[in-house]
Amino acid sequence: MKPFKSCLVAGMLAVVAPAALAESPEDFFYRYTELAASFDPAVAKLYDNSAKVRVFRIEAHKPQASLDLAGWQWKRHLAKAMPVARADGDISEYRNIEVSRVARGYKIKADRYSTLTCHTDRAYYMVISPNGRGSYAIAEEYTVVQADSAC
């Protein structure tokens, strides 16, 4: 089986989604990765406005920094970043995906590989919670980005 443009199915842990929801946590993550890999701005709609998004940036010869944004701020950022990511060919591939139940919904952990910088982020995760409309929304996301290319 070929990897999703952004996600490898092999290794996913089966988790049963509550019957009231239209998709499983795995299906939600697959949809997320497909939207992101196709640079579809609709990926922003998957974030809850109150989501907590943290991006930890590593750059040679500079102090490490983190960016903490609320979901509504991240949505604005994505609208501006998608055209740049498309032009750069910045695609993330996800492997070693693990889904586990947490109090608020499900935590999805994965190794996120950047095709632009050849960096593997082994700390990547997102937490998804029911959105009240029959699906999930991203409630929390953490990612580490490396500014300098290792390619």
Side-chain angles (χ1 to χ4, degrees):
M1 181 180 317
K2 79 173 197 168
F4 312 155
K5 282 260 192 248
S6 296
C7 190
L8 184 66
V9 175
M12 276 187 153
L13 298 178
V15 177
V16 177
L21 298 179
E23 63 186 344
S24 69
E26 293 86 357
D27 290 341
F28 176 89
F29 191 66
Y30 177 79
R31 183 163 52 103
Y32 165 83
T33 61
E34 288 298 299
L35 289 170
S38 62
F39 307 101
D40 189 330
V43 73
K45 294 178 183 176
L46 300 180
Y47 289 83
D48 187 84
N49 284 337
S50 64
K52 295 176 183 170
V53 178
R54 172 173 273 186
V55 179
F56 190 78
R57 183 178 171 97
I58 300 170
E59 192 168 354
H61 311 296
K62 290 190 178 181
Q64 297 176 348
S66 66
L67 175 67
D68 295 301
L69 297 173
W72 67 269
Q73 293 170 307
W74 186 247
K75 289 177 180 187
R76 285 186 182 172
H77 171 77
L78 285 176
K80 295 174 187 172
M82 281 292 184
V84 175
R86 178 188 294 275
D88 290 345
D90 189 2
I91 296 173
S92 292
E93 297 174 351
Y94 297 85
R95 291 180 167 67
N96 301 321
I97 299 157
E98 297 177 16
V99 179
S100 59
R101 187 93 165 96
V102 293
R104 302 184 311 233
Y106 293 91
K107 184 173 188 175
I108 302 169
K109 294 173 56 176
D111 293 341
R112 186 188 65 81
Y113 177 77
S114 167
T115 60
L116 182 65
T117 63
C118 301
H119 172 257
T120 300
D121 169 11
R122 298 193 194 287
Y124 176 84
Y125 74 86
M126 74 167 53
V127 175
I128 60 173
S129 299
N131 65 5
R133 296 181 306 277
S135 187
Y136 294 99
I138 298 168
E140 184 178 346
E141 187 175 39
Y142 177 81
T143 189
V144 176
V145 295
Q146 179 174 310
D148 305 308
S149 178
C151 299

